[in-house]
Amino acid sequence: MFQSLWEYILVFLAAATPWLEAIVVIPIGIIRGLNPVLVSIVGFVGNMLTVLLVVIFYEKFEAWRARRREEKGIEEKPPTKRQERAKRVWNRYGLPGLSIGGPLILGTHLTILMALALGAKKQAATWWMTISLIAWILVFAIGTYYGFAWFTS
């Protein structure tokens, strides 16, 4: 029981960590033998918590970054390939397209940052990211559970 609780705590922490993401951690938890529903919920909460923190502190981060650039005389860098790809998705599909595709391309944290940087409203960006995260978690959890069960039978 105690070890199982620690495994769920680790799922939560790993899902909250940028670049690990819930869509990576949840399949690992399911393959490890954790309850698929519980690991999906815990993974979602961990990932969504940090996404919400990004949304809440976005303006403070941007203000800090602008001050820092001004103080150091740093010029704006040319966009990276990821940023260019996100901009193309944004121009073609808007916030829903970026939110749905972004977690696979950029990860949830960078996707929400890109959406906000491209001018999305916080509430809309949060709503679409929540929908996207739920959808991807369902896809990966169900796929892992039934795929793993198929291989082990």
Side-chain angles (χ1 to χ4, degrees):
M1 168 67 180
F2 186 69
Q3 180 169 350
S4 179
L5 177 62
W6 275 110
E7 289 176 314
Y8 287 105
I9 291 170
L10 288 175
V11 166
F12 175 85
L13 293 173
T17 305
W19 296 287
L20 281 180
E21 309 289 342
I23 61 176
V24 173
V25 174
I26 289 170
I28 293 169
I30 292 170
I31 291 169
R32 176 86 176 93
L34 297 176
N35 179 300
V37 174
L38 191 54
V39 80
S40 296
I41 292 169
V42 169
F44 170 78
V45 171
N47 202 167
M48 199 63 207
L49 178 67
T50 51
V51 166
L52 289 173
L53 289 173
V54 169
V55 171
I56 290 167
F57 292 109
Y58 175 73
E59 278 106 5
K60 291 181 192 248
F61 169 73
E62 281 298 311
W64 169 80
R65 193 173 88 160
R67 254 191 337 273
R68 187 173 149 254
R69 287 180 183 277
E70 187 178 306
E71 288 171 0
K72 293 188 176 193
I74 299 172
E75 292 183 27
E76 194 70 29
K77 293 180 185 178
T80 65
K81 287 183 180 182
R82 278 185 169 184
Q83 291 169 330
E84 289 290 332
R85 203 172 355 183
K87 183 78 168 176
R88 281 194 306 273
V89 170
W90 178 265
N91 288 335
R92 179 173 262 171
Y93 304 108
L95 180 58
L98 181 62
S99 297
I100 300 293
L104 293 179
I105 300 168
L106 303 167
T108 55
H109 302 92
L110 286 177
T111 298
I112 197 76
L113 267 175
M114 290 298 291
L116 294 171
L118 292 168
K121 294 187 185 314
K122 284 182 170 186
Q123 187 176 8
T126 303
W127 171 251
W128 278 106
M129 188 53 60
T130 302
I131 291 170
S132 173
L133 194 54
I134 290 169
W136 284 119
I137 285 173
L138 286 172
V139 166
F140 279 86
I142 292 168
T144 302
Y145 180 77
Y146 286 109
F148 191 67
W150 183 73
F151 280 114
T152 57
S153 61

